[in-house]
Amino acid sequence: MRVNDIAGFLLRNDIILEGLRFNRSSTLYELVRQRISLKKPTSTCIGLHDLARVLYLQGEFEGWDYPYYKVVRTILFGISDPYIHEPDQSPDWQIAVAIGLLLMEQPGLNITEQVPIYARQDAVLSAIRRLQGQGYQFHANDGHVTWVSGELERACQIMDAAVSAYGGWPLIRRIFERLYPYLERGRYVIIRHLAMAVREDKPLEIPWGYLLNLAAKHLKPAVPEMQSEERFESLLELSKDIVATLDLEPYSGVEVAMVSPTRLIEALQDAVVGDACFSFEQLRPIDLFVMLETLFKAVDQAEMKRELGWTVADALVLAKIIFGPDTRPCHSFTFRKIRESTNLSNAVIKAMLDQFTHDPTQLNTEFFKPNDIIHCNLNFRPLVAGQNQNRLLIAPSISALGFYIALTDAIRSYDTHIDEKVGTAAEQLVSNLYIQHGLQPVVAPGFYEVSGERYECDIVLETNEYIFFLEVKKKILTRASFSGDVLEILTDLKSMFESQIQSGRHELYLRQNEVLYFSDGTKLEFHGRRVVRISVSLLDWGTLQDPLNTGSFLQAFMQTNFGVMSDQGTSAAVKKINAVNIALNKLRTLEFQLATFHHAGRPWLFDSLFVSIPWLMFLLDRCHDASAFEAKWRSFHAIRKPARNPYFQIL
């Protein structure tokens, strides 16, 4: 009997559900039901791929001996013989064959020994086994292996105590010594590799963000006998295992490039929480200087002087002192050194240092577990108070972000409109960046009318090959999102959806009419060029702005509507989720209209992008005219390898 015949029979007669040995009220049962019933071949393929990994994780942990599970595992590891001789006719065996065949024969997915289907699950299970060997307890439920209640807290308590004993400052020095090879043009480009086509060993990633936040919580002077290499390595190993149990890291490029709607929420959480654990937010000092010079022009300096005792110009002077060319991680500053480097008065310097300096006893005090980002305040200020009235900074690219946030917070304390002022100035900043690098925008901004309605384009660029519509948003990714709060992630992403709607409307009108006439007389002609829609955020959003992730997430969003989770069913939550669904419905409608112009399918991967102003500055570093920019953009299209880092793609 051909396996395909069995698969078709099972799907038609729903035997596949009857044979599963799970409680029908369980999440896993519902997961199976949903993924088996998908109609589109590609979606079915991705959904069953996800299902197989779920079954594998729980099956390996519990040591399943069910016949159907053994056959699933065997088939998914690469047996491709389409015939089964003398088949066992039990429902369990038939289920295994059906699932395996569907996975292997669906269009768009080639399951062989070369694809690391289970590398992620094996890594998680290996970490769990090591922790079990240390006495920690786990249990499996609905396809997930999780800590027994209280056990994660116990492990994190031991980790916290170990970091405290080692000392925060010594640990920070060791962290940035290890990260030095990743330092590129003023920022750490931390790469998290994934396999693309061949099975390859992938060690557990070091959770640099988790370690850094713990170190910041315990900023103590060095105790030499506590800083052995062995102690440092043991910290790395325990932190890697703890974070690995959260199962945040995809191991295959397939997982990143093909996100199924059924895994979308989980994938979003993996992305943002993974960023918080494995990396950290940054801003290059040279980019900070530009932002200080341009984003705060609308701030009344006289009023600021009255309210705070200093101005943005004073803050820029201080920034250029503490982020000088010789500044390194754990750099120390004395009040005297700062005073001797400027003509600012002692009173002004003191007032600014009070605003820009952390009390170390109040730093990350409630941070405990890897995803406790909502309790982190490390990025709120650039400096930390030290002994003898010294000030220290963690690292230039981390502290530069803290400088920007502290300055904005200081102004916001008396000017509630600062965010609107910054948002307006951000559009001009992006336009100026392109002009400085030899690209004159077509309009910045531009207005046009359609059927009596007036529309605005923030920035339009054109080259011989491309037309770029850029929409700039001031929205930042909140700490609640970095902690994995689904509702907050979706609410934050709504600004991206809205900017894609705006730029998509421009693209649709241009394609329909071949030309776009702006109210100032400027004309934009299509000429069959590739249209790229770019949503620009004020600061980095991490993995969500990696092009592989942006494209796959947007495709999954186009097939998804969200309801309110039962534990978040408040009126405020309902309003937020409804606003997300409204934005997604508008975007879907627009994409349906645009689909008529894309006979080979919508090229999501590079035609809808989500980037940040710091990323654009990094991109434009080495572009001096339109041809150089176009060449850089073409190379950007040729993604070398997924790295969960948008900066890696433009090195």
Side-chain angles (χ1 to χ4, degrees):
M1 179 184 294
R2 281 187 62 87
V3 179
N4 196 36
D5 298 332
I6 298 175
F9 173 78
L10 291 173
L11 289 178
R12 286 194 302 274
N13 293 277
D14 205 30
I15 295 177
I16 205 162
L17 296 182
E18 297 296 327
L20 282 170
R21 299 182 179 184
F22 291 103
N23 182 344
R24 289 187 173 227
S25 64
S26 72
T27 303
L28 186 57
Y29 178 87
E30 180 62 18
L31 186 71
V32 172
R33 188 192 67 76
Q34 289 176 352
R35 292 179 180 180
I36 294 301
S37 65
L38 291 172
K39 302 302 182 186
K40 293 182 179 179
T42 303
S43 297
T44 304
C45 164
I46 301 169
L48 289 175
H49 189 163
D50 294 337
L51 173 60
R53 291 199 306 270
V54 168
L55 293 175
Y56 177 81
L57 184 61
Q58 185 165 348
E60 291 298 290
F61 178 77
E62 295 185 333
W64 284 355
D65 195 35
Y66 304 154
Y68 81 82
Y69 171 70
K70 286 185 174 181
V71 178
V72 165
R73 183 180 175 190
T74 301
I75 289 176
L76 293 177
F77 265 107
I79 293 178
S80 56
D81 183 358
Y83 294 94
I84 300 294
H85 303 287
E86 299 180 4
D88 175 355
Q89 294 299 321
S90 70
D92 285 347
W93 179 86
Q94 293 175 340
I95 291 166
V97 174
I99 293 176
L101 179 91
L102 286 169
L103 279 167
M104 287 193 301
E105 293 196 356
Q106 289 297 332
L109 185 62
N110 178 26
I111 298 295
T112 71
E113 290 184 355
Q114 300 302 309
V115 180
I117 306 168
Y118 296 124
R120 175 174 180 167
Q121 284 65 36
D122 285 336
V124 173
L125 288 167
S126 295
I128 289 171
R129 298 301 186 207
R130 285 190 292 273
L131 290 165
Q132 285 180 315
Q134 298 172 40
Y136 297 104
Q137 299 180 59
F138 296 81
H139 62 88
N141 182 41
D142 287 337
H144 295 278
V145 180
T146 57
W147 299 77
V148 168
S149 179
E151 289 291 86
L152 174 58
E153 290 74 13
R154 183 164 72 92
C156 290
Q157 188 174 32
I158 290 174
M159 183 69 195
D160 192 87
V163 170
S164 178
Y166 193 92
W169 285 116
L171 181 55
I172 289 170
R173 290 189 184 93
R174 296 299 296 271
I175 287 172
F176 287 103
E177 286 172 3
R178 286 290 186 94
L179 288 176
Y180 182 76
Y182 296 97
L183 186 60
E184 293 282 352
R185 288 149 48 193
R187 68 175 295 127
Y188 297 91
V189 182
I190 298 173
I191 302 168
R192 290 146 61 193
H193 285 299
L194 295 93
M196 283 300 285
V198 297
R199 180 180 291 276
E200 58 186 45
D201 291 332
K202 180 187 183 308
L204 292 180
E205 301 285 354
I206 298 173
W208 297 115
Y210 174 42
L211 286 166
L212 183 63
N213 277 311
L214 277 181
K217 180 182 178 181
H218 299 289
L219 293 179
K220 299 178 180 179
V223 180
E225 59 268 24
M226 301 300 292
Q227 278 90 58
S228 67
E229 184 67 22
E230 182 180 356
R231 280 181 178 272
F232 178 65
E233 292 299 330
S234 68
L235 283 175
L236 295 186
E237 293 306 311
L238 180 56
S239 68
K240 287 194 293 185
D241 283 345
I242 288 174
V243 175
T245 65
L246 303 181
D247 193 11
L248 301 170
E249 282 291 276
Y251 274 53
S252 165
V254 173
E255 289 183 72
V256 175
M258 301 172 70
V259 175
S260 64
T262 51
R263 268 205 80 246
L264 177 57
I265 292 298
E266 186 180 345
L268 287 170
Q269 290 176 308
D270 289 352
V272 294
V273 179
D275 281 339
C277 290
F278 295 104
S279 188
F280 38 81
E281 296 177 273
Q282 301 176 76
L283 177 66
R284 294 188 302 173
I286 58 171
D287 298 335
L288 169 68
F289 303 154
V290 174
M291 293 170 76
L292 294 184
E293 290 169 348
T294 57
L295 294 182
F296 300 94
K297 287 184 177 180
V299 173
D300 185 324
Q301 299 300 300
E303 181 186 16
M304 184 175 177
K305 182 74 172 181
R306 288 194 304 271
E307 296 289 339
L308 302 177
W310 46 278
T311 66
V312 173
D314 297 333
L316 181 58
V317 171
L318 178 62
K320 290 185 176 179
I321 293 172
I322 65 176
F323 298 114
D326 297 326
T327 302
R328 299 290 182 269
C330 303
H331 207 96
S332 176
F333 302 89
T334 65
F335 185 90
R336 180 178 178 180
K337 179 180 178 181
I338 295 173
R339 186 184 61 200
E340 291 174 349
S341 303
T342 176
N343 293 324
L344 297 175
S345 69
N346 287 353
V348 169
I349 295 172
K350 183 180 184 306
M352 285 195 293
L353 290 179
D354 287 346
Q355 178 67 41
F356 290 116
T357 304
H358 277 293
D359 176 350
T361 65
Q362 301 301 312
L363 194 53
N364 285 6
T365 53
E366 296 183 48
F367 180 77
F368 188 59
K369 294 183 289 188
N371 59 343
D372 278 344
I373 305 306
I374 199 166
H375 299 305
C376 290
N377 60 349
L378 173 61
N379 284 337
F380 288 7
R381 300 185 180 193
L383 303 174
V384 181
Q387 296 178 327
N388 302 319
Q389 295 188 323
N390 286 357
R391 267 73 171 180
L392 300 94
L393 59 74
I394 301 292
S397 62
I398 293 174
S399 298
L401 177 61
F403 196 102
Y404 174 83
I405 291 173
L407 173 62
T408 308
D409 285 346
I411 300 172
R412 191 181 293 112
S413 68
Y414 69 88
D415 183 354
T416 58
H417 301 290
I418 181 59
D419 294 312
E420 287 75 14
K421 293 175 181 177
V422 166
T424 301
E427 297 175 18
Q428 189 60 51
L429 169 57
V430 174
S431 176
N432 289 343
L433 284 173
Y434 281 107
I435 293 172
Q436 291 164 12
H437 290 84
L439 287 100
Q440 182 65 46
V442 177
V443 290
F447 301 89
Y448 65 94
E449 288 191 4
V450 177
S451 302
E453 288 199 46
R454 193 167 187 254
Y455 298 100
E456 178 184 359
C457 299
D458 283 353
I459 301 167
V460 180
L461 298 168
E462 65 176 340
T463 67
N464 291 333
E465 296 181 23
Y466 298 96
I467 293 171
F468 299 91
F469 291 111
L470 290 86
E471 295 295 333
V472 183
K473 300 294 182 183
K474 64 180 184 294
K475 188 75 179 73
I476 64 171
L477 194 63
T478 62
R479 287 186 300 155
S481 289
F482 276 121
S483 295
D485 187 315
V486 173
L487 184 57
E488 292 303 316
I489 294 171
L490 294 174
T491 301
D492 288 346
L493 282 171
K494 183 171 73 74
S495 67
M496 183 186 74
F497 303 148
E498 290 169 345
S499 63
Q500 284 293 312
I501 293 167
Q502 288 176 276
S503 55
R505 190 185 296 117
H506 311 326
E507 178 185 359
L508 179 63
Y509 188 76
L510 177 64
R511 289 183 180 276
Q512 287 174 336
N513 297 278
E514 296 289 326
V515 64
L516 196 58
Y517 293 100
F518 293 97
S519 57
D520 66 354
T522 304
K523 181 172 66 173
L524 175 68
E525 296 182 279
F526 180 38
H527 294 311
R529 288 176 289 182
R530 189 166 184 172
V531 179
V532 180
R533 292 151 47 183
I534 306 178
S535 304
V536 184
S537 63
L538 186 62
L539 299 173
D540 290 336
W541 285 40
T543 296
L544 293 178
Q545 293 179 325
D546 185 280
L548 273 177
N549 289 278
T550 302
S552 58
F553 284 147
L554 279 172
Q555 288 184 79
F557 272 121
M558 290 300 96
Q559 304 172 57
T560 307
N561 268 314
F562 298 98
V564 180
M565 294 66 163
S566 59
D567 61 342
Q568 294 178 315
T570 64
S571 59
V574 170
K575 289 179 181 178
K576 286 183 177 181
I577 208 68
N578 284 345
V580 171
N581 283 328
I582 288 170
L584 283 173
N585 286 335
K586 288 181 179 178
L587 186 56
R588 268 190 288 270
T589 300
L590 186 62
E591 291 303 331
F592 180 78
Q593 293 173 292
L594 283 167
T596 59
F597 299 98
H598 296 284
H599 303 298
R602 171 90 157 90
W604 282 100
L605 187 55
F606 292 107
D607 288 1
S608 288
L609 293 178
F610 183 29
V611 306
S612 67
I613 289 177
W615 184 90
L616 285 175
M617 292 179 178
F618 198 85
L619 173 73
L620 292 170
D621 274 350
R622 298 178 179 177
C623 297
H624 305 292
D625 55 33
S627 60
F629 175 74
E630 193 170 76
K632 190 70 175 177
W633 202 265
R634 280 197 300 270
S635 67
F636 174 54
H637 281 196
I639 283 189
R640 293 160 286 176
K641 198 173 186 182
R644 309 288 275 179
N645 189 323
Y647 287 85
F648 175 71
Q649 310 299 348
I650 54 174
L651 287 177

